[in-house]
Structures are given as C-alpha cells and as structure tokens.
Amino acid sequence: MEQSDQGRSNEGFEGSAAPPGGGGGFLDVGRPVNNGHTYVYEPDKSLSRMTVQNIPSEDNYRKLSKMYVDQRPTMEELMLGEKMGRIEEEEAQAELGATTDAKPKGKVVKFGWIEGVFMRCLLNIWGVMLFLRLTWVIGQAGMIQGLLVITLCNAVTMITALSMSAVATNGQIASGGVYYMISRALGPEFGGAIGIMFTVANSISVATYTLGFVDNVFDLIYDVSDFGGFVGTPDDRLNDIRWIGTIVLVLILVLAIVGMDWVTRVQKLLLVLLILAQIDMLVGSFLPGETLYTDSDTRRAKGFVGWSLDAAKDNTDSAYLVDEQTGKENSFMSVFGVFFTAVTGIVAGANLSGDLKDPAYSIPKGTLLAIIFTYITYIGYGILVGFTFLKQVSGNVQDYLGTSEEFPNITFPSYDDCSIEANNIRQNISELISDYSEGCKFGSAIDQKTMTLLSGTGYLVYCGCYGATLSSAIASLVGAPRVLQAVGKDKIYPKVEFFAKGQGANNDPFRGYILVFIIAFGCLMIGDLNAIGKLASNFFLAAYALMNLSVFHSSMTKSPGWRPSFKFYNPWVSLLGAIVCVALMFLIEWILAVGTVAAIAVLYAFMVYLKPETNWGSSADALVFLNALNNSYSLNEKKDHIKTYRPKVLVMSGNPAHRKPLVDFANLLTKKMSLLVCGHILPENSLQDEEPLKETVQTWFKDHSIKSFYTLQQTESYSEGVKNMVNMVGLGKLSPNMILIGYKAGNNDAISIEEYFRSLTVCLEKKMSVGVLRLPNGCDYSAKVGSEQTIVEEDTSADDSKKSKKEKKTVAVYRDTEGRPLPKPIVDEIQQFTITKKREGVIDVYWLYDDGGLTLLLPHILHTRKQFEKCKLRVFSLSNRPDDLDRSQINLSNLLAKFRIDFTEVVVIPDITKKAKAETKAEFEQILQGYGNSADNEDIKANQERTNRHLRTAEILRENSMNSELIVITLPLPRKGQTPAPLYMAWLDMITKGLPPVLLTRGNQTSVLTFYS
C-alpha cells in the first residue's frame, strides 16, 4: 500500500542527515522570528500534510451515506500515524460515481422562508373561514368572546409552532415535515401513526377544499345568472359538484406533477387574490352606499351600518343562537371548534421540509411570522365586523325603509327587530309579498355572505374564497405524498416502501400523488364530508399534541443530544399545549376524538408488533436509558433476598457464534428472567477491531433471539481475563453472580490446564457460583463452521389456532470452511438447546453437597422451559448413615416438597465411600496421564480419599444416568494449595466422561432456596 502524504515520516529526525546549508533537523531550532524560534522548517507547508488528524469539519459529522465514512481517521490510524485504505472507501467512491452518473435531469427547486413557509402558511390560515365564518364567530360570540376565541386558537397554534421550531432546529431536518420531526423525537411508534394519519387527513382535506371551491363557484353563478345547473338544480347541486370537482381535482394533480416550481407560481397568484379580497373588504367598510355587488338599501337591510359605535356596543356581548342543523344552542366551545379549523394550516410549510434550502431557519421564522401576521388580520377583521355589521336582521328592504310603494298602508317592523312578535308580523306580510322574508335570516350571526355585502365589489370576496380553497387543496395534495414518501423511505410499515420512490431532480412523489388523488376522488364522490372533515381536524390536533409532547419529553429526558438552537420554548408550556390539544379534541366532538385516539393506538400497537429497525436517537430511546439508570439505582438500594434470587450468568463464550450450544444453554437459564453476559477474552496484542466485532455479535444475538450483553477483555492470560470480568462486568446489582464455562477436554499443555484451573478457583474465591458444561462433542464448533447464514421465514409448524397470525422463525444455514453445508448431525449438535422438539426423558440432579441450593434450582429453571417441561426430575443425594436410608430419603423428599420443586423420584446413594472398581482406577490413571503426568505423586497420594469418592461418583453416574437428557451435579471443590490442576481436571474428566450433557455446578454457599413465604 502506498503511503499517503499524511503518513510519510518527516525528514530531519534523529538519525537523519541534516539538510544542506547548515539547517538542523525537525526539532532543531531555526532562525529567530519576533524574538522567538520556529520548529517548522517549511512554514508554507499545510497542516494537513503534517498530521493525519483532521481539524473540526462539518463533513466529519455527516452520516447520510457512505461517502463520508472515511473523513475522520480511526483511532488505529492515529496511533500508526498513517491512513490505511479501506474497503468502504472504494465502495463509497463507486457509490459516488454511480450517484453522479445516475443524477436525474431537471432543475432542483429549493425555497427560502418566504416562498417555502411564510407564503404557504398564509394561504392555509387565510382560508374560507376568513370570508365565510369569521363574521359568524363575531355575530354569535360577540366581540369580547369572539376575539377571545381567535386569541385562544392562535395561542394553541403559537405554542405548537414554538415546539415545532425547537424540534426543527435540533439538527438537520429531512423531507417528511411533521412526520419526520415527531418520529425522530418520539420514535417510530408515534411518528409512524402520525405519518399515516397525516396522509389520510390531508387526502380528505383535498376533497373538502375542492368541494368548497366548486360550491362557491356555483354560488357565484347562481347569484349573477339564471343558470339552472348541468345535471342538477340550484337546490340539489350535488351531482354537478361531483363532476366539476373531478375536473378540478385532475387539474390540481396535473399541476402537482408538473412540479413545485409551477405550484409555487400558482400559489403566488392565489395569494394575490386573497390580498385583493381583503383590501376589497377593508375599502368596502368605508363605502356607505351602494357597491358593485348590491344597492345601498339592500346592503343596509341585510345588516351593514358602516362604522358605528352603536353597532359595536350591540356586538360587544354574545348572542348564541340555536343551530338549525343540530337543534342545539351554540356555545363558546362550539364556536371555538368551528373557528379552530381556520388556524390548523401552520404545518403547510413544514411539510415541505425536503424542498427548503434551510429548514432549521425557514420553518421557525416563516411559521411564527405567519401566525403573528394572520392573528393581527383576524383580530382586525373581527373588530371591523363588530363595528360595521349587525348580528341579526330581516334583510327586507321594506323593513329598513319602513314602507313599500306597492303596499303603502302596511306597517312594517324594524329590520333589526327579531322578536317573536316582529317575526309573526313578517309571516303575515310574506303571504302578501312574494320576495318578503318571514324571519331574520341575515346579519353577521346568520348569513355566511356577510363579507360579500361588506366589501366594495363583492366579487373579489368570491375570488378570495376561490384562492383560499384552491391553495389549501393544492397544499394538501402536494404535502400528503411527501409525508407518505418519508414514511416509505424509513421502511417502518410493510409495502409502504413502494411510495418512497421519487421522480425528477426534486424527487417528486408521483406514486403518492396518485394515491392521494384516489382517496380524494373517493371522498369527493361521497359529497357530504362534514363528519370526515371534523375527523381530519382531530388528526391535525393529535399531531399538534404529539409535537408539543415531543418537546416536553425530550426536555425531561435531559438527553445531551437535545440542543435546539431555537431557545424561545418552555417544556411545561409545551406540555400545556399538548393537554389543551387533547382536551379540544374531546370538547369539539368526543366521538371523533375517541376514533382518533383509537386509530393512534392501533397504529402504535402495530408498530410495536413490527419492531422496525430504526436508530434515530429519539427521546423514547433516551427515556429507556434514563429509566434503566433510575431502576438500577433503585435496585442497588434494595437488599438481596432469597425469594428474588435469580442466576445472573456470565458465560465465557469467546465469540458466541463459535460456542452456540454453550450460549443457548445459558440463555435457557436466563431467558426472560435474568441477566446474561457473554464474555470474550482476546490476547493482549490482538489486532482484531473491537467495535465491528461487538456490532457483529449484537446482530448475531438479535438473529438468534438471545437477550444478552457482550463484553471483551484483552489480557496476557486467560485466568487474568476471567478475573477482570468477574470484578468489572455489571452495574451494581445488575452484575453476574454465576459464571458458566465450557468444559476443557484433556490437553498436554500444562500452561493451558493451569490457566483453566486458575480461572475456576478465581471465581470461587470471588464467591461466584460456577457452572461447567460438558457436551459429548464439546461446545466449540469454530473448527467445523466456516460460515453461518441467517434466514427469516414463516413458521409452518404453528398450531391451527395460531395460523391467523404469521409466525416467523430464524433458520441458520451452516457451511464448512470449503462452503459446503454441514451434515445434519453436526447442525443438530450446534442447535441442541434451541430445537423445537420437546424432550421427554429424565433430568438427573446429583445434589451431593449443600451449596445453597443452586444445584437444585438450575434444573428447576430448565424444567420450566418448553424444551425440558415434559422431562421428569430425579434427585440423587448422599447419606451420612448408610443404615438409615429410608429416613434420609423421606427427609429429602419433604425438603423438596417444601421448596415446591416438582420431582418424580428421590434416590439416596448409600455407598459413596466404597472403593472404586479396579477398571475404574485404571481408566482414571490413563486419563491422568493425558494431562501430561504433571501431577506430583505426593499430591495424588494426599488426595486418595477424594479421588476414590469421585471415581465412585463416576461409577454411579454411569450406572444410573447414561440415558438421561441432562445431568446436573455438584461441582467438586479444589482446595487451596492441596489440589494440583492436572489432578482436578482428571477428576472432572472422569466424572463426566462418556455421559449425556453434564452441568457441574457449585453455588457460593449462600441460600438460593427457601420454603418461607
């Protein structure tokens, strides 16, 4: 590999020749500079050519693609002093080249805060409410309560906007808008639910806005002409609205497909119409007489009075009327619910986050200014209506003039008198005059066309309505597919990835456009969308609630990653905003609120079931850590109790994939109930990179459904590594109390034998429980397995009762070092503790010595696992008095019953002290020779009695347990300075040789079983 400039050694170090001209080496003092000295012999040389270290740079913190993986040198490269070529570097270059070659043609359109956010929010907030329902709010609630409604609605959206600004400035925001921000803040569960609901809500909104636009067009047509409809009538125009609405919907779809550039141009034109309509209203309020829309008498008869303090006094207090559709009297909350939909457009700009030049700058500035600006205009127009229009009038010119040329003798009631008596008089007069209204059907509290009468032309207000509805429909159809596209890119829902693909330079979501069009078309065919429209409003409120909750949640978890550059927020205010949003959902329409919460709950549960592979650093992830930390502190304060004892296992697995049976057995002991840590000891000078190894092992754990931690140690000796792990692994009470190790077969290497023996004694000295697992063919399959491939497939073996739910299982395909599949018997050995087939044999427990009960507890735990639950439990023990076996057997049975241990048979061994057979001794001597004859004859002689007991134990095991599924036996204890390693290992070998799987275990002489409640 060629050495880079950064990696070349500098000339002039010790041993290097001095440069010509008398100059010194790199560390020699050069010529003085400003009464000092320089140690740089090439002052013009750049820093990057002198060191492999990088100065702080934005590129070093990008993780959006492989193109940035090599920007910062690794620690290994820094230590070596040179950069090393890596495979990823070539892949990154290839990817970069492919990206460059496949770069889509076309103009990339990115918007600033005015065009991208401010303008779009104005278009959505200045909706039809401004022209059709603002006057109704003031007429019903009066100026005091009406302006309070406007203020409270904007307060809710302002709090939400502040929260959104905080989230938007806490890192770089990609496409997806509200979905992206909530999902990255609260996790995929809430984010995915909002993403789907937001898409549906916006799709419905496209239909409602289109209906509103077409309906207003027909209003104008019927208002200025005698047109009778296409296939309907002025009174039954639904079919006309459907097919004209379809045409409008198709045109909006075409506009979206053409591109965001044209969408922006059209929306600018619509914004101009909105502004002209508002100017028209403002100018018209100062015109006392006729307008282009109507004559002076008609205008005044329908409630216009010009700027008047009397009108203001009349409009100060509320005058809630009965709603003709529901039959219920309106209230502050009903008016609030109607008007709140006007201010829900605050996310119109945020939803286009992927099309903004700088979302973190544009979203806060554009959204907040739009809210402030529209709030001022709504307050201004509310005051304008209160000063210039009456709440309720008859609308009859005759009532306003007090006379009629056709009927001069009739006494007409005053046009602003809406009492029952006056309406009775009008009812009588209406029988004589055909165009005479019999009740009070005009005024700001009733007539939705009040703004038309207030304006100078009237027709510009219609144009304003067209602009408001069309712009909102366009924004919804453009925004919803982008949210869906972001959901698809994250791959959190199955099949939704289909909508992730974009087209053109701007990655426009054409597939999403078609889906939203289809949903909107279906809603358009329904025609009446009042209930569905309210449901969409509930979806928006739910999104705002979660946005506020995300800020509170992120702040409370105190994650160091929560550092929004936008500082004008408060977590408690955000929490208040979340509570208010939820309360509003139920106050406006509790049935729809329940439906919204149910939809979120279903999508949340579905996401929990799917468990998508996401790593976004959300506050939910931070909370998991915080809860774990607090629970660890709480656990540390609790004193240990026998009833809460559980084996927390440190298994010396090395690479877990190499000793899968050992790891699987440990997993059976701890699964769903306790702590499991896999320990791996590497030589001190190992060049293996630890981080990739840790990531690989964690992936292996996940593929095999093993809940375990993994820890690495680099030490000079194996026993030292075990000692370090026993001392250091764990956190407080979440520390292992048992070590499980695979049995080490006969080895002539005295050092290896001594290290293994020392490892066991270290654990016992540290008061750790110890387990040694011996399998017929060993635990280590690293020499046989060359590769392992994990395949996830549907489980066809599930019961019929469970077939409605697709079961998935992980299948491992093992190959040898030459790539050939391993024989089935070897694969079965590797997977012997994970097979689904239930064992029906016997678990033999040789509880020879009281170690606190661990020898009995471990087989009980195994007996609760599916694999061993049908096995019978036999318990063997020793007797102090061979002549009293019956009493010993009864006492042991009673003890087991008190421990609530299910057993089928109790056997007391009477003759453990009997001399072993000659052939057994001969076999043992041969085994001992296998350990290199390193045991001293004096040590062997000193341990004759113990050796005989272990030989007798081996005979008893072979006599009783050759066909058992598992044998659990008390582990013999080595005595300090009295038991040499080869002799001890020969004991273990003799006891377990030729048997089914054997677990030798020894507790730490502390009780782990109790019969007290």
Side-chain angles (χ1 to χ4, degrees):
M1 182 183 298
E2 293 185 4
Q3 196 174 34
S4 63
D5 289 341
Q6 292 92 330
R8 293 195 186 100
S9 58
N10 291 301
E11 298 178 3
F13 279 104
E14 293 181 25
S16 301
F26 180 75
L27 294 180
D28 287 341
V29 178
R31 57 187 176 86
V33 179
N34 295 333
N35 297 322
H37 296 89
T38 176
Y39 293 94
V40 180
Y41 60 87
E42 291 185 28
D44 296 330
K45 191 174 182 179
S46 66
L47 179 63
S48 63
R49 297 186 64 191
M50 295 182 180
T51 177
V52 296
Q53 299 188 75
N54 286 4
I55 61 174
S57 170
E58 179 182 336
D59 290 340
N60 297 337
Y61 295 88
R62 293 182 183 272
K63 288 189 177 180
L64 299 180
S65 73
K66 288 185 178 179
M67 289 183 284
Y68 300 97
V69 294
D70 286 317
Q71 293 295 329
R72 183 190 290 120
T74 64
M75 184 59 69
E76 184 181 7
E77 290 171 337
L78 291 178
M79 298 297 290
L80 291 174
E82 63 178 3
K83 280 201 172 184
M84 299 182 297
R86 283 173 276 172
I87 297 174
E88 291 91 340
E89 187 174 356
E90 298 176 3
E91 293 177 351
Q93 293 297 330
E95 182 180 331
L96 180 59
T99 304
T100 304
D101 295 339
K103 186 177 180 180
K105 296 180 180 179
K107 180 183 178 183
V108 177
V109 180
K110 295 290 184 181
F111 303 105
W113 72 273
I114 296 178
E115 289 182 327
V117 181
F118 182 69
M119 183 185 77
R120 298 177 199 278
C121 288
L122 287 182
L123 285 167
N124 276 265
I125 299 174
W126 279 341
V128 291
M129 285 291 173
L130 176 63
F131 303 103
L132 301 182
R133 301 295 267 177
L134 176 62
T135 56
W136 177 85
V137 169
I138 299 299
Q140 294 276 343
M143 280 202 294
I144 294 176
Q145 292 189 28
L147 298 181
L148 182 61
V149 165
I150 297 171
T151 301
L152 290 178
C153 288
N154 279 272
V156 173
T157 56
M158 177 60 76
I159 292 172
T160 304
L162 293 173
S163 299
M164 183 170 66
S165 299
V167 177
T169 58
N170 190 49
Q172 188 170 346
I173 301 297
S175 60
V178 173
Y179 157 73
Y180 185 90
M181 288 186 273
I182 292 178
S183 63
R184 268 53 179 183
L186 290 178
E189 294 83 8
F190 281 118
I194 287 300
I196 296 298
M197 293 170 60
F198 218 79
T199 301
V200 173
N202 275 282
S203 301
I204 295 171
S205 296
V206 174
T208 56
Y209 291 131
T210 303
L211 278 172
F213 168 74
V214 177
D215 203 27
N216 272 279
V217 169
F218 277 111
D219 279 341
L220 179 60
I221 293 173
Y222 295 141
D223 207 11
V224 299
S225 69
D226 296 330
F227 178 70
F230 294 103
V231 294
T233 63
D235 296 328
D236 185 13
R237 62 178 82 169
L238 182 57
N239 288 329
D240 282 347
I241 289 176
R242 284 171 175 164
W243 75 268
I244 296 295
T246 302
I247 296 174
V248 174
L249 200 60
V250 170
L251 292 176
I252 295 175
L253 175 64
V254 171
L255 179 63
I257 292 175
V258 168
M260 287 301 299
D261 197 16
W262 278 97
V263 168
T264 303
R265 293 177 186 178
V266 171
Q267 288 191 319
K268 286 180 180 178
L269 176 62
L270 297 176
L271 181 60
V272 171
L273 285 178
L274 277 170
I275 294 173
L276 289 176
Q278 293 177 58
I279 294 173
D280 186 29
M281 292 188 303
L282 187 59
V283 172
S285 67
F286 292 97
L287 298 178
E290 65 178 349
T291 63
L292 295 177
Y293 183 73
T294 186
D295 61 81
S296 176
D297 291 342
T298 302
R299 189 185 183 200
R300 290 187 172 272
K302 292 183 177 180
F304 177 75
V305 294
W307 287 87
S308 169
L309 288 175
D310 292 335
K313 291 178 182 178
D314 183 54
N315 285 317
T316 298
D317 297 325
S318 62
Y320 295 112
L321 304 177
V322 175
D323 192 317
E324 294 182 358
Q325 294 182 348
T326 62
K328 298 179 181 179
E329 184 178 290
N330 286 309
S331 63
F332 181 86
M333 283 311 305
S334 65
V335 173
F336 185 97
V338 170
F339 183 77
F340 188 79
T341 57
V343 295
T344 56
I346 62 170
V347 296
N351 282 341
L352 300 179
S353 56
D355 297 296
L356 301 176
K357 295 176 183 176
D358 185 359
Y361 174 77
S362 300
I363 291 176
K365 186 173 183 179
T367 305
L368 292 174
L369 286 178
I371 292 174
I372 294 171
F373 194 73
T374 52
Y375 171 68
I376 294 172
T377 56
Y378 270 113
I379 289 292
Y381 292 130
I383 294 173
L384 184 148
V385 172
F387 272 84
T388 60
F389 234 88
L390 299 179
K391 293 179 181 178
Q392 195 176 9
V393 292
S394 67
N396 297 315
V397 176
Q398 295 91 336
D399 292 350
Y400 172 70
L401 296 175
T403 184
S404 171
E405 295 181 358
E406 187 176 356
F407 301 97
N409 297 325
I410 296 178
T411 302
F412 294 93
S414 175
Y415 78 109
D416 58 352
D417 183 2
C418 293
S419 61
I420 297 175
E421 294 79 4
N423 285 333
N424 288 334
I425 295 174
R426 291 191 183 96
Q427 188 174 3
N428 295 328
I429 297 175
S430 65
E431 296 176 359
L432 300 175
I433 306 175
S434 59
D435 58 348
Y436 188 83
S437 176
E438 60 184 31
C440 291
K441 298 181 180 180
F442 294 90
S444 60
I446 302 173
D447 188 13
Q448 292 191 14
K449 294 183 181 181
T450 297
M451 284 296 189
T452 311
L453 297 168
L454 184 63
S455 65
T457 66
Y459 304 109
L460 278 176
V461 171
Y462 277 108
C463 292
C465 290
Y466 303 155
T469 51
L470 272 181
S471 64
S472 298
I474 293 170
S476 298
L477 192 138
V478 169
R482 280 166 168 74
V483 173
L484 185 63
Q485 185 183 38
V487 176
K489 284 181 179 179
D490 288 337
K491 301 178 183 179
I492 58 176
Y493 285 110
K495 309 301 182 184
V496 180
E497 187 181 352
F498 173 79
F499 297 99
K501 183 177 177 59
Q503 303 290 333
N506 293 293
N507 198 32
D508 291 319
F510 286 178
R511 295 176 178 179
Y513 288 153
I514 300 301
L515 177 66
V516 172
F517 172 82
I518 292 172
I519 296 174
F521 176 76
C523 294
L524 191 66
M525 292 300 103
I526 296 174
D528 185 10
L529 296 178
N530 287 337
I532 301 178
K534 289 182 180 179
L535 181 61
S537 297
N538 266 268
F539 285 0
F540 287 124
L541 273 172
Y544 298 162
L546 288 177
M547 179 66 72
N548 286 304
L549 179 63
S550 67
V551 171
F552 175 77
H553 199 268
S554 299
S555 300
M556 290 300 103
T557 55
K558 296 180 173 60
S559 172
W562 175 249
R563 305 185 303 274
S565 57
F566 183 85
K567 304 298 182 183
F568 302 101
Y569 74 95
N570 182 283
W572 297 103
V573 174
S574 296
L575 177 63
L576 176 63
I579 295 172
V580 170
C581 287
V582 174
L584 287 175
M585 289 169 57
F586 285 90
L587 289 173
I588 292 172
E589 187 69 59
W590 71 269
I591 296 177
L592 295 179
V594 170
T596 302
V597 173
I600 293 176
V602 169
L603 291 171
Y604 185 96
F606 185 51
M607 189 59 54
V608 171
Y609 169 78
L610 291 175
K611 295 181 180 177
E613 295 183 4
T614 58
N615 184 19
W616 296 335
S618 66
S619 62
D621 297 334
L623 185 62
V624 170
F625 173 82
L626 203 61
N627 288 339
L629 185 63
N630 291 331
N631 290 336
S632 298
Y633 287 138
S634 300
L635 186 64
N636 221 33
E637 295 171 358
K638 299 287 184 181
K639 290 185 178 181
D640 291 329
H641 194 279
I642 301 174
K643 291 195 295 183
T644 59
Y645 173 86
R646 55 193 70 206
K648 293 170 282 189
V649 180
L650 168 62
V651 54
M652 303 309 299
S653 63
N655 189 328
H658 293 170
R659 295 174 179 82
K660 187 174 186 296
L662 180 64
V663 177
D664 288 337
F665 186 83
N667 188 47
L668 286 175
L669 295 175
T670 62
K671 188 176 183 181
K672 295 182 179 179
M673 63 166 281
S674 191
L675 173 71
L676 176 61
V677 181
C678 288
H680 189 177
I681 299 174
L682 293 172
E684 191 171 31
N685 297 321
S686 173
L687 297 178
Q688 190 162 11
D689 196 345
E690 294 185 10
E691 289 305 319
L693 180 58
K694 290 179 179 179
E695 292 178 6
T696 302
V697 171
Q698 289 300 331
T699 302
W700 187 88
F701 284 151
K702 184 176 182 181
D703 290 341
H704 292 275
S705 301
I706 296 174
K707 297 293 181 65
S708 175
F709 296 98
Y710 175 69
T711 182
L712 274 170
Q713 281 281 336
Q714 288 189 345
T715 56
E716 293 182 359
S717 65
Y718 182 78
S719 61
E720 190 68 24
V722 172
K723 182 179 179 180
N724 291 342
M725 285 194 176
V726 169
N727 288 330
M728 299 171 62
V729 170
L731 186 68
K733 295 292 177 65
L734 281 177
S735 299
N737 54 19
M738 175 182 175
I739 187 167
L740 180 66
I741 190 169
Y743 175 78
K744 186 176 183 61
N747 194 322
N748 290 323
D749 184 0
I751 297 177
S752 178
I753 294 171
E754 188 66 35
E755 283 296 309
Y756 186 86
F757 175 75
R758 195 176 298 162
S759 300
L760 295 179
T761 56
V762 162
C763 296
L764 293 168
E765 288 170 356
K766 294 291 182 181
K767 297 183 179 180
M768 291 279 287
S769 301
V770 177
V772 178
L773 180 66
R774 181 170 188 177
L775 303 178
N777 293 312
C779 298
D780 189 356
Y781 287 84
S782 58
K784 297 179 181 179
V785 179
S787 65
E788 176 184 349
Q789 181 183 6
T790 304
I791 302 173
V792 180
E793 59 183 26
E794 290 184 12
D795 188 359
T796 56
S797 63
D799 298 336
D800 292 338
S801 60
K802 298 180 181 179
K803 282 187 177 178
S804 58
K805 178 182 175 181
K806 291 185 178 180
E807 299 285 343
K808 292 186 178 181
K809 65 177 182 178
T810 301
V811 178
V813 179
Y814 296 94
R815 301 183 185 276
D816 60 19
T817 53
E818 297 180 1
R820 297 170 300 189
L822 285 180
K824 188 176 185 300
I826 297 179
V827 174
D828 289 343
E829 289 176 10
I830 296 173
Q831 300 178 337
Q832 59 184 294
F833 294 115
T834 56
I835 56 176
T836 55
K837 183 180 178 181
K838 296 182 178 179
R839 303 172 187 247
E840 296 183 354
V842 177
I843 299 177
D844 282 339
V845 182
Y846 288 82
W847 193 16
L848 305 182
Y849 306 101
D850 189 358
D851 59 347
L854 186 68
T855 306
L856 193 60
L857 178 63
L858 294 183
H860 166 71
I861 293 173
L862 292 172
H863 196 242
T864 62
R865 305 305 185 188
K866 288 184 178 180
Q867 189 177 141
F868 290 98
E869 65 181 357
K870 290 190 176 181
C871 291
K872 297 177 181 179
L873 209 63
R874 293 195 303 183
V875 182
F876 295 79
S877 188
L878 303 177
S879 174
N880 288 322
R881 300 181 59 185
D883 57 342
D884 197 6
L885 296 180
D886 291 340
R887 180 174 294 277
S888 297
Q889 189 169 349
I890 291 171
N891 290 340
L892 182 58
S893 298
N894 291 336
L895 181 61
L896 294 176
K898 288 182 178 180
F899 284 150
R900 303 171 304 284
I901 301 292
D902 295 327
F903 63 92
T904 57
E905 187 179 354
V906 171
V907 179
V908 176
I909 303 169
D911 51 358
I912 191 67
T913 57
K914 176 182 173 182
K915 282 190 177 182
K917 298 176 182 178
E919 56 266 29
T920 305
K921 292 181 180 179
E923 183 182 354
F924 175 72
E925 290 175 358
Q926 187 177 0
I927 290 175
L928 187 58
Q929 289 178 358
Y931 287 92
N933 290 324
S934 55
D936 195 322
N937 288 331
E938 292 184 5
D939 292 328
I940 295 175
K941 188 175 181 179
N943 287 278
Q944 277 184 341
E945 185 180 323
R946 297 186 69 198
T947 299
N948 185 74
R949 285 205 309 271
H950 297 321
L951 296 185
R952 282 289 299 132
T953 301
E955 291 176 349
I956 293 169
L957 286 169
R958 295 174 185 182
E959 181 182 343
N960 294 285
S961 302
M962 288 298 294
N963 296 317
S964 300
E965 291 290 344
L966 178 68
I967 301 170
V968 181
I969 184 171
T970 306
L971 174 73
L973 274 179
R975 290 180 179 173
K976 282 186 177 182
Q978 300 181 28
T979 309
L983 180 61
Y984 182 77
M985 295 302 299
W987 289 347
L988 299 188
D989 198 350
M990 187 65 197
I991 291 172
T992 58
K993 185 178 179 182
L995 294 174
V998 180
L999 174 66
L1000 298 114
T1001 184
R1002 169 70 69 164
N1004 63 355
Q1005 301 306 111
T1006 302
S1007 296
V1008 298
L1009 293 173
T1010 181
F1011 43 78
Y1012 295 105
S1013 61

